[in-house]
Amino acid sequence: MKVRVLGSAAGGGFPQWNCNCRNCRGVREGSVDALPRTQSSIAVSVSGEQWILFNASPDIRAQLEANPPLQPKAGNRDTGIHAVVLADSQIDHTTGLLFLREGCPLRVYCTDMVAQDLSTGFPIFVMLESWDGGVQHTQVPVDGSAFQVAGIDGLSITAVPLDGKAPPYSPHRFDPHLGDNVGYLIEDTVAQASLFYAPGLGQMSEGLLSIMQSADCVMVDGTFWAEDEMQRAGVGTKLASEMGHLPQSGDEGMLTWLRRLDGPRKILIHINNTNPILIEDSPERRAVEAEGIEVAFDQMALDL
């Protein structure tokens, strides 16, 4: 199974266009050792020819230009993108669908809750009806059963419901539903390799840890280092938990949980522009790496 990190940052990217925090200012000026990053998405393939996008970020065009395996190879119109699988209905994970409109009809796999949001509060599905074939939505089950993407052999995908909030424009923002936010266990049934992908993760549990332990690689929420990071950076007042993310630090933080995984390769993705782990030589980055945990970067490639 081949995995490409198309984008590794949280919403807004890094540097964020309107942010002058230490990180963003430093990467613009070249005064900190850090790589710019686009908004998070990965692509997965068994053959190396047909790719499944897991989330479609607003930066999708630049991401495709930076990743030749997903570019056209034959004919006047072609793409390596076979389908899109969505983990939630957040702007930074779905807006890219609008930039794929020339490729309609688009095969999109997501839960019913995500499809509802994308047909009402943020009606991308409705908007794309004006293009040839629009969105062909296939429901993703949230009962623990696996599904396959039509036309892709040897790949089994299971949605894992996660604690998290629907986006602000969702009709049920303050009424959480199963399927608002999911992670995915992606299994290559031929190579017997697996990836657990969860860019948005508000809470951990023993059951979730067990699923992660079964994977060869886990790529999980790396949004914030600290619970009060936005306040520390002087760019906001909300806590990480209020925004649906589990910070890395603290007694119940992501590092504490990941420390208990003794088999999988461990990678943090969806990293907010304020997170000090973006700085290659920061104490926080060294703490992450000391735990054997990697920090995702754009165009990172994995063969599982």
Side-chain angles (χ1 to χ4, degrees), residues 12-19 23-25 27-28 35-37 273:
F14 176 62
Q16 184 172 301
W17 67 276
N18 68 335
C19 187
N23 286 1
C24 290
R25 182 174 65 254
V27 76
R28 288 192 190 99
L35 295 171
R37 287 166 163 85
N273 61 287

Side-chain angles (χ1 to χ4, degrees), residues 120-254:
T120 54
F122 188 33
I124 288 178
F125 284 6
V126 178
M127 295 163 66
L128 287 173
E129 289 175 1
S130 298
W131 278 263
D132 187 22
V135 168
Q136 295 180 346
H137 168 234
T138 299
Q139 178 187 354
V140 166
V142 290
D143 61 359
S145 58
F147 68 95
Q148 288 74 43
V149 169
I152 301 291
D153 295 328
L155 205 65
S156 176
I157 307 171
T158 305
V160 180
L162 304 173
D163 288 325
K165 292 184 177 180
Y169 42 78
S170 172
H172 56 275
R173 166 69 168 177
F174 301 105
D175 180 23
H177 284 65
L178 193 70
D180 284 341
N181 183 24
V182 300
Y184 286 105
L185 181 63
I186 308 159
E187 300 174 275
D188 182 333
T189 57
V190 177
Q192 297 295 302
S194 58
L195 168 71
F196 179 74
Y197 177 61
L201 183 55
Q203 290 184 348
M204 282 288 291
S205 67
E206 294 295 334
L208 183 55
L209 192 72
S210 178
I211 293 172
M212 292 166 65
Q213 181 65 50
S214 71
D216 294 298
C217 179
V218 296
M219 192 175 288
V220 294
D221 191 334
T223 309
F224 295 116
W225 171 259
E227 171 73 349
D228 60 348
E229 184 171 309
M230 298 290 282
Q231 298 172 15
R232 293 187 190 187
V235 296
T237 59
K238 288 186 177 179
L239 300 175
S241 56
E242 292 175 329
M243 300 173 70
H245 298 287
L246 180 68
Q248 282 104 60
S249 63
D251 292 341
E252 291 296 321
M254 186 67 78

Side-chain angles (χ1 to χ4, degrees), residues 225 255 268 277 284-293 295:
W225 171 259
L255 295 189
L268 297 174
I277 69 171
E284 293 85 359
R285 180 63 168 266
R286 289 195 293 269
V288 167
E289 292 176 342
E291 297 282 355
I293 300 170
V295 177

Side-chain angles (χ1 to χ4, degrees), residues 41-97:
S41 173
I42 66 170
V44 175
S45 177
V46 174
S47 66
E49 298 293 329
Q50 294 177 303
W51 294 82
I52 301 171
L53 293 188
F54 283 81
N55 297 328
S57 92
D59 299 316
I60 185 64
R61 186 185 180 281
Q63 292 169 347
L64 294 178
E65 288 301 308
N67 287 275
L70 282 80
Q71 295 170 7
K73 292 182 175 60
N76 291 331
R77 288 287 190 271
D78 186 39
T79 177
I81 301 171
H82 182 79
V84 182
V85 178
L86 301 175
D88 53 48
S89 54
Q90 299 287 347
I91 284 177
D92 51 316
H93 287 158
T94 60
T95 309
L97 294 174

